[in-house]
Amino acid sequence: MKTNFLSVLLLLITFFGFSQQKVALESNGTTTVFGGSNPFLDAYNAATDGDIIYLPGATMTGFAIDKGVTIIGAGHYPNATLATNPTVINGNITINENADGLHLEGIQFTGSITFGNNAQVDDVTIKRCKVVSINYAGNATPVTPCLNNLIAETIITGDLTMTNLTSSMISNNIIQGKLINGSNNGITNNILMYSGSSSYTNHYVFNNQDNCFISNNIVFRPYVSEVHAGCEMSTFSNNIFAVAPLAGSNTFVNNYFSVPIAGLFVNQSGATFDYTHDYQLASSGIYLGTDGNDVGIYGGVFSYKTESIPHNPHIVSKSVATQTNVAGELPVQITVEAQNN
């Protein structure tokens, strides 16, 4: 563990020793730093399954991913990336069928993440990222669904479409859009902001979520008939609802109905994610989840990490002199903090 920490620390210092457009590839105990016009793509092309790619705080162009690699950025929260800048990937990303075991963390995507149509991509983790939308594309009745995926502690400003996803976990995210299709998934400890200023036909928070366990979420949608539609045989447990939804063929256990969203959080308003808001519950110990902790993103197994800092050592401050000293050296001071998770 100590060796790994020192290795990553050296990678971080290397980024500042040259320029921000450096990408590091860790493969079989060997570290290679890529520069040039497209270092991210160059590092990816050189990587094999199981390798780790470290991205700097910079803006890069996205591309299709078809390998089971780990890609870690510097984070996306403004206050947490003052020393590094956020890691931003421009454009839409496609994940193809050979990307089993892919891990994405600490990255802001300006577009969507789409899994190849009917492609079975298992054991994918999307964690502490920000993305416009995520789409598991496929047939209404999947033949080769994606299995054992995890989407956690991530900001999704649009919809999460799970047509080709099953036996997976959607946990501790803030989602502005709808949850569309999907079966046999766990949907827990999320903040689901989809609201609307009036009632809209076919605009449902939970749309065709079958045989799912849906627990400890906070659901903003204020219209009784439009919290869920087409959901069958799902269990809703210990969720906060702004209204009391119709049950249908689903089971509702220990939920909190007709809870005003205004004033529920320490600091939050509207139905749009805001970096300056505080999404902890204003009053702890009142709305408890299935695990005995508060519902929402700060409870559960994947408790939301403040400012979504990735799990690798994180640069918190830097100081670079404007000129060399009498010895011809350029003084540089970098403060790095280890992360517990």
Side-chain angles (χ1 to χ4, degrees), residues 8-9 11-13 15-16 19-22 55-60 72-88 106-107 307-310 312-320 333-337 339:
V8 175
L9 180 59
L11 292 180
L12 296 173
I13 294 174
F15 289 153
F16 282 103
S19 71
Q20 289 299 299
Q21 286 291 347
K22 299 290 181 180
L55 301 180
T59 299
M60 288 152 285
I72 302 178
H76 62 87
Y77 266 71
N79 285 341
T81 57
L82 291 174
T84 61
N85 292 321
T87 298
V88 179
I107 303 167
E307 297 185 322
S308 291
I309 296 172
N312 59 308
H314 183 70
I315 295 175
V316 295
S317 67
K318 72 178 189 295
S319 175
V320 181
Q333 292 184 330
I334 300 174
T335 302
V336 180
E337 288 184 352
Q339 304 298 307

Side-chain angles (χ1 to χ4, degrees), residues 168-170 184-188 209-217 233-239 253 290:
S168 295
M169 181 67 71
I170 313 301
N184 296 290
N185 295 309
I187 303 172
T188 182
Q209 301 293 325
D210 299 337
N211 298 295
C212 294
F213 186 68
I214 301 170
S215 63
N216 308 341
N217 302 287
M233 308 302 294
S234 287
T235 297
F236 292 79
S237 179
N238 295 72
N239 302 283
V253 181
T290 54

Side-chain angles (χ1 to χ4, degrees), residues 13-35:
I13 294 174
T14 297
F15 289 153
F16 282 103
F18 296 96
S19 71
Q20 289 299 299
Q21 286 291 347
K22 299 290 181 180
V23 173
L25 170 64
E26 193 173 284
S27 178
N28 295 320
T30 300
T31 300
T32 305
V33 177
F34 293 82

Side-chain angles (χ1 to χ4, degrees), residues 25-336:
L25 170 64
E26 193 173 284
S27 178
N28 295 320
T30 300
T31 300
T32 305
V33 177
F34 293 82
S37 60
N38 199 337
F40 179 24
L41 182 59
D42 292 341
Y44 171 81
N45 287 337
T48 59
D49 289 352
D51 289 352
I52 304 175
I53 298 173
Y54 294 97
L55 301 180
T59 299
M60 288 152 285
T61 301
F63 46 81
I65 297 175
D66 200 29
K67 298 178 182 180
V69 294
T70 294
I71 304 174
I72 302 178
H76 62 87
Y77 266 71
N79 285 341
T81 57
L82 291 174
T84 61
N85 292 321
T87 298
V88 179
I89 294 181
N90 271 334
N92 299 321
I93 299 293
T94 300
I95 297 176
N96 292 321
E97 61 184 352
N98 294 315
D100 289 358
L102 173 68
H103 183 116
L104 303 174
E105 184 172 349
I107 303 167
Q108 176 180 345
F109 297 89
T110 65
S112 62
I113 296 175
T114 299
F115 288 73
N117 192 53
N118 291 321
Q120 182 174 355
V121 193
D122 299 338
D123 305 307
V124 173
T125 296
I126 301 173
K127 187 175 184 181
R128 297 175 188 165
C129 292
K130 185 181 182 185
V131 60
V132 172
S133 62
I134 301 176
N135 181 14
Y136 288 85
N139 299 331
T141 304
V143 177
T144 56
C146 299
L147 303 172
N148 196 35
N149 279 211
L150 170 66
I151 302 175
E153 302 176 70
T154 288
I155 312 302
I156 305 174
T157 59
D159 294 338
L160 171 56
T161 303
M162 298 178 279
T163 307
N164 201 49
L165 179 69
T166 192
S167 301
S168 295
M169 181 67 71
I170 313 301
S171 184
N172 298 79
N173 306 287
I174 299 176
I175 304 174
Q176 289 180 197
K178 304 178 292 295
L179 304 183
I180 302 172
N181 301 333
S183 63
N184 296 290
N185 295 309
I187 303 172
T188 182
N189 287 96
N190 303 285
I191 296 176
L192 304 173
M193 290 185 161
Y194 186 73
S195 180
S197 58
S198 62
S199 180
Y200 294 97
T201 304
N202 297 325
H203 283 236
Y204 307 93
V205 182
F206 301 100
N207 196 326
N208 296 320
Q209 301 293 325
D210 299 337
N211 298 295
C212 294
F213 186 68
I214 301 170
S215 63
N216 308 341
N217 302 287
I218 300 174
V219 184
F220 281 32
R221 190 66 171 156
Y223 307 108
V224 172
S225 62
E226 297 188 7
V227 171
H228 67 82
C231 299
E232 297 181 356
M233 308 302 294
S234 287
T235 297
F236 292 79
S237 179
N238 295 72
N239 302 283
I240 288 179
F241 290 99
V243 295
L246 305 175
S249 65
N250 305 288
T251 300
F252 282 75
V253 181
N254 297 329
N255 293 282
Y256 307 96
F257 297 131
S258 302
V259 177
I261 300 301
L264 182 63
F265 301 99
V266 171
N267 173 31
Q268 188 277 330
S269 61
T272 301
F273 169 75
D274 192 316
Y275 283 115
T276 67
H277 288 172
D278 186 337
Y279 294 94
Q280 298 187 72
L281 296 185
S283 299
S284 183
I286 297 176
Y287 303 107
L288 300 180
T290 54
D291 59 353
N293 296 315
D294 288 339
V295 304
I297 60 174
Y298 288 97
V301 176
F302 301 97
S303 179
Y304 197 86
K305 186 177 181 180
T306 300
E307 297 185 322
S308 291
I309 296 172
H311 72 271
N312 59 308
H314 183 70
I315 295 175
V316 295
S317 67
K318 72 178 189 295
S319 175
V320 181
T322 58
Q323 61 184 22
T324 58
N325 57 24
V326 292
E329 301 167 333
L330 182 67
V332 176
Q333 292 184 330
I334 300 174
T335 302
V336 180

